[in-house]
Amino acid sequence: MLSIETTMVDFSQYLAAHHVAIHVLDGPRTGAIYPIRAVRLTLGRASADLVFAEDEMSRTHAAIEFRDGQFFLKDLDSANGVLLNGKSVLESLLVDGDRFQIGSISFAFEIEVRNPEPVTHVRPAAKSPS
């Protein structure tokens, strides 16, 4: 099992190279984008990192977790479950473009690769007047 320190270093390095977020597709706050900046992000109607006024959500309904260089969606023993790409899941790997639903709210999971290296253009040397 990885230590917390190792996980945090791996996560920090991952975030340096990627922008990771969830995008609200339907329901309250449609269009909102929430960057993922923690190893674990909980979603629910109360007692969660991201709280939504949604009666069909449990207080702490689901979590997005970073482990072993990947993200996972996990149902936290909710009353109404979690759908990932239209199928009920207890825990599943998340990849860019996945859609998930908690209560009546639909989300997209997004990963964008950052360009960590600056692009440098070298101009040819100017010709000296003869």
Side-chain angles (χ1 to χ4, degrees):
M1 182 168 191
L2 293 174
S3 70
I4 295 295
E5 292 82 17
T6 301
T7 300
M8 290 305 295
V9 168
D10 291 345
F11 186 65
S12 295
Q13 290 172 343
Y14 190 90
L15 287 185
H18 301 84
H19 171 72
V20 183
I22 58 173
H23 185 167
V24 181
L25 300 176
D26 190 29
R29 297 189 239 162
T30 296
I33 298 173
Y34 298 97
I36 296 177
R37 295 188 178 121
V39 172
R40 185 171 197 255
L41 176 76
T42 56
L43 298 94
R45 67 175 160 80
S47 305
D49 299 314
L50 277 179
V51 176
F52 294 87
E54 168 57 50
D55 292 338
E56 294 178 31
M57 276 189 182
S58 296
R59 292 176 60 78
T60 308
H61 195 107
I64 296 173
E65 299 176 346
F66 181 81
R67 295 191 312 262
D68 301 323
Q70 298 178 311
F71 287 90
F72 294 86
L73 177 64
K74 183 176 183 178
D75 185 331
L76 299 176
D77 297 322
S78 68
N80 293 317
V82 174
L83 296 178
L84 176 62
N85 299 319
K87 297 185 183 202
S88 182
V89 297
L90 294 177
E91 183 171 346
S92 185
L93 176 68
L94 276 174
V95 297
D96 181 48
D98 275 346
R99 313 283 179 158
F100 63 97
Q101 185 173 337
I102 300 173
S104 65
I105 303 175
S106 298
F107 302 88
F109 181 73
E110 302 171 346
I111 300 175
E112 179 181 311
V113 177
R114 298 179 196 264
N115 184 359
E117 297 295 323
V119 177
T120 305
H121 299 280
V122 178
R123 293 185 176 166
K127 292 184 179 181
S128 58
S130 315

